Amino acid sequence: MEKRGWDDFDPGVILFSFEKDKKVTDIATTEPENRPYSQSNSFSSDQASGWRVEKPIFKQDLCIDCQFCWIYCPDMSIISRDKKMVGVDYDHCKGCGICVEVCPTNPKSLLMFVEAKEEAEALAEWPEKKKEEK
């Protein structure tokens, strides 16, 4: 398949996630690095996250491993092993913030920070648990 830029596709075209000739039977148990992604999938591009302005930072001790972030991430950028969230694939994360929106913990185990912020600095700024009002 020839490589095409984002502006080379016709409006309304369907971009398949996986190669047509390779059948994917159980995507949930196939690790991202072993999936037959098509050339039009953002996972195949190493420049997909170059325009990201904010990124999600993960604080593991707040995570309840609900997997909502993994399920809802449109780019499969949440790294999950054995049903436990282990991190974010920043090579493919676009910074959309969906993972933060669906996180149910208080405070959230994922928060958006500016791209340039170091992880240690972001973790030091994490908010405290909010008191529930009665």
Side-chain angles (χ1 to χ4, degrees):
M1 176 179 186
E2 74 177 80
K3 281 206 162 206
R4 300 169 103 188
W6 67 269
D7 57 347
D8 293 331
F9 290 100
D10 295 326
V13 70
I14 296 174
L15 300 177
F16 293 99
S17 295
F18 303 104
E19 295 292 340
K20 289 181 188 177
D21 58 341
K22 296 182 179 160
K23 186 152 177 111
V24 179
T25 55
D26 190 5
I27 195 66
T29 59
T30 305
E31 294 180 356
E33 57 271 17
N34 296 326
R35 297 175 185 163
Y37 287 108
S38 72
Q39 289 299 316
S40 62
N41 189 296
S42 65
F43 197 86
S44 301
S45 173
D46 58 357
Q47 299 175 355
S49 64
W51 48 268
R52 183 178 58 225
V53 177
E54 290 186 313
K55 65 183 177 185
I57 302 279
F58 173 57
K59 188 166 184 177
Q60 190 164 8
D61 61 339
L62 296 174
C63 184
I64 60 172
D65 294 312
C66 67
Q67 300 292 291
F68 288 178
C69 56
W70 181 81
I71 291 167
Y72 286 100
C73 177
D75 289 301
M76 296 303 293
S77 296
I78 300 299
I79 304 168
S80 179
R81 298 288 188 259
D82 299 321
K83 297 182 182 174
K84 295 201 181 297
M85 204 286 209
V86 295
V88 178
D89 175 2
Y90 290 118
D91 289 335
H92 300 98
C93 173
K94 309 299 180 300
C96 68
I98 292 173
C99 56
V100 173
E101 290 299 316
V102 299
C103 181
T105 62
N106 173 17
K108 292 182 180 278
S109 60
L110 283 157
L111 288 176
M112 297 300 285
F113 288 91
V114 295
E115 178 65 28
K117 184 154 310 244
E118 295 293 327
E119 184 176 349
E121 186 181 355
L123 292 172
E125 296 175 10
W126 218 270
E128 295 294 320
K129 182 173 183 168
K130 295 176 186 172
K131 302 278 188 210
E132 291 185 21
E133 294 181 22
K134 292 184 180 182

